[in-house]
PDB file of all heavy atoms in Angstrom:
ATOM      1  N   ARG A  29     118.050 100.044 118.365  1.00  0.00           N
ATOM      2  CA  ARG A  29     116.965 100.912 117.909  1.00  0.00           C
ATOM      3  C   ARG A  29     116.058 100.141 116.932  1.00  0.00           C
ATOM      4  O   ARG A  29     114.846 100.273 116.974  1.00  0.00           O
ATOM      5  CB  ARG A  29     117.569 102.140 117.214  1.00  0.00           C
ATOM      6  CG  ARG A  29     116.656 103.329 117.167  1.00  0.00           C
ATOM      7  CD  ARG A  29     117.075 104.421 118.162  1.00  0.00           C
ATOM      8  NE  ARG A  29     116.253 105.631 118.012  1.00  0.00           N
ATOM      9  CZ  ARG A  29     115.085 105.800 118.618  1.00  0.00           C
ATOM     10  NH1 ARG A  29     114.611 104.835 119.390  1.00  0.00           N
ATOM     11  NH2 ARG A  29     114.399 106.912 118.433  1.00  0.00           N
ATOM     12  N   ARG A  52     102.639 106.097 110.383  1.00  0.00           N
ATOM     13  CA  ARG A  52     102.560 107.155 111.386  1.00  0.00           C
ATOM     14  C   ARG A  52     102.252 106.584 112.766  1.00  0.00           C
ATOM     15  O   ARG A  52     102.836 107.008 113.775  1.00  0.00           O
ATOM     16  CB  ARG A  52     101.490 108.174 110.972  1.00  0.00           C
ATOM     17  CG  ARG A  52     101.933 109.102 109.839  1.00  0.00           C
ATOM     18  CD  ARG A  52     100.758 109.831 109.197  1.00  0.00           C
ATOM     19  NE  ARG A  52     101.196 110.726 108.121  1.00  0.00           N
ATOM     20  CZ  ARG A  52     101.448 110.317 106.881  1.00  0.00           C
ATOM     21  NH1 ARG A  52     101.313 109.041 106.551  1.00  0.00           N
ATOM     22  NH2 ARG A  52     101.845 111.182 105.957  1.00  0.00           N
ATOM     23  N   SER A  61     109.831 110.203 115.017  1.00  0.00           N
ATOM     24  CA  SER A  61     109.103 110.834 113.915  1.00  0.00           C
ATOM     25  C   SER A  61     108.928 109.865 112.756  1.00  0.00           C
ATOM     26  O   SER A  61     109.613 108.846 112.665  1.00  0.00           O
ATOM     27  CB  SER A  61     109.874 112.054 113.426  1.00  0.00           C
ATOM     28  OG  SER A  61     110.991 111.633 112.681  1.00  0.00           O
ATOM     29  N   ALA A  63     109.642 110.340 109.568  1.00  0.00           N
ATOM     30  CA  ALA A  63     110.835 110.280 108.726  1.00  0.00           C
ATOM     31  C   ALA A  63     111.965 109.528 109.428  1.00  0.00           C
ATOM     32  O   ALA A  63     112.761 108.838 108.782  1.00  0.00           O
ATOM     33  CB  ALA A  63     111.294 111.690 108.362  1.00  0.00           C
ATOM     34  N   GLY A  64     112.036 109.662 110.740  1.00  0.00           N
ATOM     35  CA  GLY A  64     113.048 108.934 111.487  1.00  0.00           C
ATOM     36  C   GLY A  64     112.879 107.439 111.353  1.00  0.00           C
ATOM     37  O   GLY A  64     113.861 106.687 111.234  1.00  0.00           O
ATOM     38  N   HIS A  67     114.482 105.933 108.392  1.00  0.00           N
ATOM     39  CA  HIS A  67     115.937 105.789 108.419  1.00  0.00           C
ATOM     40  C   HIS A  67     116.337 104.348 108.732  1.00  0.00           C
ATOM     41  O   HIS A  67     117.407 103.891 108.331  1.00  0.00           O
ATOM     42  CB  HIS A  67     116.533 106.743 109.459  1.00  0.00           C
ATOM     43  CG  HIS A  67     118.021 106.661 109.582  1.00  0.00           C
ATOM     44  ND1 HIS A  67     118.868 107.068 108.577  1.00  0.00           N
ATOM     45  CD2 HIS A  67     118.818 106.187 110.564  1.00  0.00           C
ATOM     46  CE1 HIS A  67     120.122 106.870 108.949  1.00  0.00           C
ATOM     47  NE2 HIS A  67     120.116 106.333 110.147  1.00  0.00           N
ATOM     48  N   TYR A  68     115.458 103.620 109.431  1.00  0.00           N
ATOM     49  CA  TYR A  68     115.786 102.249 109.837  1.00  0.00           C
ATOM     50  C   TYR A  68     115.112 101.191 108.967  1.00  0.00           C
ATOM     51  O   TYR A  68     115.629 100.088 108.813  1.00  0.00           O
ATOM     52  CB  TYR A  68     115.406 102.036 111.299  1.00  0.00           C
ATOM     53  CG  TYR A  68     116.248 102.856 112.253  1.00  0.00           C
ATOM     54  CD1 TYR A  68     115.854 104.123 112.659  1.00  0.00           C
ATOM     55  CD2 TYR A  68     117.454 102.361 112.710  1.00  0.00           C
ATOM     56  CE1 TYR A  68     116.636 104.875 113.519  1.00  0.00           C
ATOM     57  CE2 TYR A  68     118.248 103.102 113.574  1.00  0.00           C
ATOM     58  CZ  TYR A  68     117.840 104.365 113.966  1.00  0.00           C
ATOM     59  OH  TYR A  68     118.626 105.109 114.806  1.00  0.00           O
TER      60      TYR A  68
ATOM     61  P    DG D   6     127.593 107.163 107.622  1.00  0.00           P
ATOM     62  OP1  DG D   6     128.377 105.954 107.302  1.00  0.00           O
ATOM     63  OP2  DG D   6     126.770 107.827 106.585  1.00  0.00           O
ATOM     64  O5'  DG D   6     126.656 106.828 108.872  1.00  0.00           O
ATOM     65  C5'  DG D   6     127.253 106.539 110.124  1.00  0.00           C
ATOM     66  C4'  DG D   6     126.407 107.110 111.252  1.00  0.00           C
ATOM     67  O4'  DG D   6     126.372 108.553 111.139  1.00  0.00           O
ATOM     68  C3'  DG D   6     124.943 106.648 111.236  1.00  0.00           C
ATOM     69  O3'  DG D   6     124.548 106.342 112.571  1.00  0.00           O
ATOM     70  C2'  DG D   6     124.178 107.853 110.696  1.00  0.00           C
ATOM     71  C1'  DG D   6     125.036 109.009 111.167  1.00  0.00           C
ATOM     72  N9   DG D   6     124.965 110.189 110.298  1.00  0.00           N
ATOM     73  C8   DG D   6     125.197 110.232 108.934  1.00  0.00           C
ATOM     74  N7   DG D   6     125.069 111.439 108.438  1.00  0.00           N
ATOM     75  C5   DG D   6     124.721 112.228 109.532  1.00  0.00           C
ATOM     76  C6   DG D   6     124.458 113.620 109.596  1.00  0.00           C
ATOM     77  O6   DG D   6     124.465 114.461 108.695  1.00  0.00           O
ATOM     78  N1   DG D   6     124.149 114.018 110.910  1.00  0.00           N
ATOM     79  C2   DG D   6     124.106 113.182 111.992  1.00  0.00           C
ATOM     80  N2   DG D   6     123.802 113.741 113.150  1.00  0.00           N
ATOM     81  N3   DG D   6     124.359 111.887 111.937  1.00  0.00           N
ATOM     82  C4   DG D   6     124.660 111.476 110.685  1.00  0.00           C
ATOM     83  P    DT D   7     123.122 105.716 112.819  1.00  0.00           P
ATOM     84  OP1  DT D   7     123.222 104.913 114.058  1.00  0.00           O
ATOM     85  OP2  DT D   7     122.654 105.123 111.559  1.00  0.00           O
ATOM     86  O5'  DT D   7     122.214 106.969 113.136  1.00  0.00           O
ATOM     87  C5'  DT D   7     122.499 107.757 114.292  1.00  0.00           C
ATOM     88  C4'  DT D   7     121.610 108.970 114.338  1.00  0.00           C
ATOM     89  O4'  DT D   7     121.889 109.843 113.228  1.00  0.00           O
ATOM     90  C3'  DT D   7     120.102 108.684 114.263  1.00  0.00           C
ATOM     91  O3'  DT D   7     119.558 108.965 115.539  1.00  0.00           O
ATOM     92  C2'  DT D   7     119.583 109.639 113.178  1.00  0.00           C
ATOM     93  C1'  DT D   7     120.735 110.625 113.036  1.00  0.00           C
ATOM     94  N1   DT D   7     120.880 111.320 111.725  1.00  0.00           N
ATOM     95  C2   DT D   7     120.634 112.661 111.658  1.00  0.00           C
ATOM     96  O2   DT D   7     120.296 113.327 112.610  1.00  0.00           O
ATOM     97  N3   DT D   7     120.818 113.219 110.414  1.00  0.00           N
ATOM     98  C4   DT D   7     121.210 112.564 109.254  1.00  0.00           C
ATOM     99  O4   DT D   7     121.336 113.172 108.196  1.00  0.00           O
ATOM    100  C5   DT D   7     121.439 111.155 109.384  1.00  0.00           C
ATOM    101  C7   DT D   7     121.861 110.352 108.195  1.00  0.00           C
ATOM    102  C6   DT D   7     121.273 110.591 110.608  1.00  0.00           C
ATOM    103  P    DT D   8     118.070 108.572 115.832  1.00  0.00           P
ATOM    104  OP1  DT D   8     117.943 108.433 117.295  1.00  0.00           O
ATOM    105  OP2  DT D   8     117.660 107.490 114.930  1.00  0.00           O
ATOM    106  O5'  DT D   8     117.295 109.883 115.402  1.00  0.00           O
ATOM    107  C5'  DT D   8     117.461 111.077 116.171  1.00  0.00           C
ATOM    108  C4'  DT D   8     116.804 112.236 115.461  1.00  0.00           C
ATOM    109  O4'  DT D   8     117.434 112.434 114.178  1.00  0.00           O
ATOM    110  C3'  DT D   8     115.320 112.011 115.129  1.00  0.00           C
ATOM    111  O3'  DT D   8     114.521 112.711 116.069  1.00  0.00           O
ATOM    112  C2'  DT D   8     115.156 112.591 113.704  1.00  0.00           C
ATOM    113  C1'  DT D   8     116.521 113.164 113.396  1.00  0.00           C
ATOM    114  N1   DT D   8     116.941 113.027 111.973  1.00  0.00           N
ATOM    115  C2   DT D   8     117.067 114.143 111.199  1.00  0.00           C
ATOM    116  O2   DT D   8     116.869 115.268 111.610  1.00  0.00           O
ATOM    117  N3   DT D   8     117.448 113.905 109.895  1.00  0.00           N
ATOM    118  C4   DT D   8     117.709 112.675 109.318  1.00  0.00           C
ATOM    119  O4   DT D   8     118.039 112.577 108.142  1.00  0.00           O
ATOM    120  C5   DT D   8     117.546 111.535 110.184  1.00  0.00           C
ATOM    121  C7   DT D   8     117.787 110.153 109.670  1.00  0.00           C
ATOM    122  C6   DT D   8     117.176 111.753 111.462  1.00  0.00           C
ATOM    123  P    DC D   9     112.978 112.513 116.089  1.00  0.00           P
ATOM    124  OP1  DC D   9     112.506 112.831 117.440  1.00  0.00           O
ATOM    125  OP2  DC D   9     112.656 111.219 115.467  1.00  0.00           O
ATOM    126  O5'  DC D   9     112.503 113.672 115.100  1.00  0.00           O
ATOM    127  C5'  DC D   9     112.986 114.996 115.299  1.00  0.00           C
ATOM    128  C4'  DC D   9     112.580 115.867 114.114  1.00  0.00           C
ATOM    129  O4'  DC D   9     113.381 115.529 112.964  1.00  0.00           O
ATOM    130  C3'  DC D   9     111.122 115.686 113.695  1.00  0.00           C
ATOM    131  O3'  DC D   9     110.477 116.935 113.724  1.00  0.00           O
ATOM    132  C2'  DC D   9     111.202 115.154 112.267  1.00  0.00           C
ATOM    133  C1'  DC D   9     112.567 115.632 111.818  1.00  0.00           C
ATOM    134  N1   DC D   9     113.172 114.788 110.751  1.00  0.00           N
ATOM    135  C2   DC D   9     113.665 115.401 109.595  1.00  0.00           C
ATOM    136  O2   DC D   9     113.593 116.619 109.487  1.00  0.00           O
ATOM    137  N3   DC D   9     114.201 114.619 108.621  1.00  0.00           N
ATOM    138  C4   DC D   9     114.263 113.307 108.770  1.00  0.00           C
ATOM    139  N4   DC D   9     114.812 112.580 107.794  1.00  0.00           N
ATOM    140  C5   DC D   9     113.781 112.661 109.950  1.00  0.00           C
ATOM    141  C6   DC D   9     113.235 113.433 110.902  1.00  0.00           C
ATOM    142  P    DG D  10     108.960 117.039 114.109  1.00  0.00           P
ATOM    143  OP1  DG D  10     108.871 117.408 115.534  1.00  0.00           O
ATOM    144  OP2  DG D  10     108.268 115.835 113.615  1.00  0.00           O
ATOM    145  O5'  DG D  10     108.513 118.277 113.226  1.00  0.00           O
ATOM    146  C5'  DG D  10     109.331 119.455 113.201  1.00  0.00           C
ATOM    147  C4'  DG D  10     109.202 120.163 111.861  1.00  0.00           C
ATOM    148  O4'  DG D  10     109.875 119.396 110.830  1.00  0.00           O
ATOM    149  C3'  DG D  10     107.771 120.350 111.387  1.00  0.00           C
ATOM    150  O3'  DG D  10     107.648 121.644 110.788  1.00  0.00           O
ATOM    151  C2'  DG D  10     107.570 119.227 110.362  1.00  0.00           C
ATOM    152  C1'  DG D  10     108.979 119.078 109.776  1.00  0.00           C
ATOM    153  N9   DG D  10     109.311 117.721 109.351  1.00  0.00           N
ATOM    154  C8   DG D  10     109.078 116.556 110.051  1.00  0.00           C
ATOM    155  N7   DG D  10     109.507 115.484 109.435  1.00  0.00           N
ATOM    156  C5   DG D  10     110.063 115.967 108.256  1.00  0.00           C
ATOM    157  C6   DG D  10     110.686 115.273 107.185  1.00  0.00           C
ATOM    158  O6   DG D  10     110.878 114.066 107.065  1.00  0.00           O
ATOM    159  N1   DG D  10     111.101 116.153 106.185  1.00  0.00           N
ATOM    160  C2   DG D  10     110.951 117.511 106.206  1.00  0.00           C
ATOM    161  N2   DG D  10     111.411 118.184 105.167  1.00  0.00           N
ATOM    162  N3   DG D  10     110.366 118.169 107.210  1.00  0.00           N
ATOM    163  C4   DG D  10     109.946 117.343 108.189  1.00  0.00           C
ATOM    164  P    DA D  11     106.236 122.161 110.242  1.00  0.00           P
ATOM    165  OP1  DA D  11     106.223 123.631 110.415  1.00  0.00           O
ATOM    166  OP2  DA D  11     105.183 121.314 110.846  1.00  0.00           O
ATOM    167  O5'  DA D  11     106.317 121.832 108.685  1.00  0.00           O
ATOM    168  C5'  DA D  11     107.468 122.236 107.944  1.00  0.00           C
ATOM    169  C4'  DA D  11     107.407 121.644 106.540  1.00  0.00           C
ATOM    170  O4'  DA D  11     107.801 120.250 106.575  1.00  0.00           O
ATOM    171  C3'  DA D  11     106.017 121.697 105.893  1.00  0.00           C
ATOM    172  O3'  DA D  11     106.099 122.407 104.672  1.00  0.00           O
ATOM    173  C2'  DA D  11     105.645 120.229 105.676  1.00  0.00           C
ATOM    174  C1'  DA D  11     107.008 119.545 105.648  1.00  0.00           C
ATOM    175  N9   DA D  11     106.980 118.137 106.055  1.00  0.00           N
ATOM    176  C8   DA D  11     106.423 117.612 107.188  1.00  0.00           C
ATOM    177  N7   DA D  11     106.556 116.312 107.302  1.00  0.00           N
ATOM    178  C5   DA D  11     107.250 115.957 106.158  1.00  0.00           C
ATOM    179  C6   DA D  11     107.725 114.717 105.680  1.00  0.00           C
ATOM    180  N6   DA D  11     107.530 113.566 106.330  1.00  0.00           N
ATOM    181  N1   DA D  11     108.400 114.711 104.513  1.00  0.00           N
ATOM    182  C2   DA D  11     108.584 115.870 103.867  1.00  0.00           C
ATOM    183  N3   DA D  11     108.193 117.095 104.219  1.00  0.00           N
ATOM    184  C4   DA D  11     107.531 117.071 105.391  1.00  0.00           C
ATOM    185  P    DA D  12     104.777 122.851 103.903  1.00  0.00           P
ATOM    186  OP1  DA D  12     105.034 124.199 103.379  1.00  0.00           O
ATOM    187  OP2  DA D  12     103.591 122.561 104.743  1.00  0.00           O
ATOM    188  O5'  DA D  12     104.771 121.834 102.672  1.00  0.00           O
ATOM    189  C5'  DA D  12     105.954 121.728 101.888  1.00  0.00           C
ATOM    190  C4'  DA D  12     106.007 120.375 101.229  1.00  0.00           C
ATOM    191  O4'  DA D  12     105.981 119.347 102.241  1.00  0.00           O
ATOM    192  C3'  DA D  12     104.831 120.055 100.302  1.00  0.00           C
ATOM    193  O3'  DA D  12     105.250 120.192  98.953  1.00  0.00           O
ATOM    194  C2'  DA D  12     104.474 118.610 100.636  1.00  0.00           C
ATOM    195  C1'  DA D  12     105.556 118.172 101.591  1.00  0.00           C
ATOM    196  N9   DA D  12     105.112 117.200 102.594  1.00  0.00           N
ATOM    197  C8   DA D  12     104.378 117.427 103.716  1.00  0.00           C
ATOM    198  N7   DA D  12     104.147 116.357 104.434  1.00  0.00           N
ATOM    199  C5   DA D  12     104.772 115.350 103.731  1.00  0.00           C
ATOM    200  C6   DA D  12     104.909 113.972 103.959  1.00  0.00           C
ATOM    201  N6   DA D  12     104.385 113.350 105.011  1.00  0.00           N
ATOM    202  N1   DA D  12     105.619 113.244 103.050  1.00  0.00           N
ATOM    203  C2   DA D  12     106.142 113.877 101.998  1.00  0.00           C
ATOM    204  N3   DA D  12     106.089 115.172 101.677  1.00  0.00           N
ATOM    205  C4   DA D  12     105.381 115.851 102.598  1.00  0.00           C
ATOM    206  P    DC D  13     104.174 120.186  97.806  1.00  0.00           P
ATOM    207  OP1  DC D  13     104.472 121.367  96.981  1.00  0.00           O
ATOM    208  OP2  DC D  13     102.822 120.008  98.392  1.00  0.00           O
ATOM    209  O5'  DC D  13     104.507 118.872  96.969  1.00  0.00           O
ATOM    210  C5'  DC D  13     105.815 118.308  97.011  1.00  0.00           C
ATOM    211  C4'  DC D  13     105.743 116.897  96.462  1.00  0.00           C
ATOM    212  O4'  DC D  13     105.562 115.970  97.566  1.00  0.00           O
ATOM    213  C3'  DC D  13     104.567 116.693  95.515  1.00  0.00           C
ATOM    214  O3'  DC D  13     104.988 116.108  94.300  1.00  0.00           O
ATOM    215  C2'  DC D  13     103.605 115.792  96.281  1.00  0.00           C
ATOM    216  C1'  DC D  13     104.514 115.075  97.272  1.00  0.00           C
ATOM    217  N1   DC D  13     103.817 114.764  98.552  1.00  0.00           N
ATOM    218  C2   DC D  13     103.822 113.447  99.047  1.00  0.00           C
ATOM    219  O2   DC D  13     104.414 112.571  98.404  1.00  0.00           O
ATOM    220  N3   DC D  13     103.175 113.177 100.210  1.00  0.00           N
ATOM    221  C4   DC D  13     102.556 114.159 100.868  1.00  0.00           C
ATOM    222  N4   DC D  13     101.939 113.837 102.011  1.00  0.00           N
ATOM    223  C5   DC D  13     102.532 115.497 100.382  1.00  0.00           C
ATOM    224  C6   DC D  13     103.165 115.755  99.228  1.00  0.00           C
TER     225       DC D  13
END
Side-chain angles (χ1 to χ4, degrees):
Chain A
R29 202 106 174 86
R52 285 164 180 82
S61 75
H67 179 68
Y68 293 91

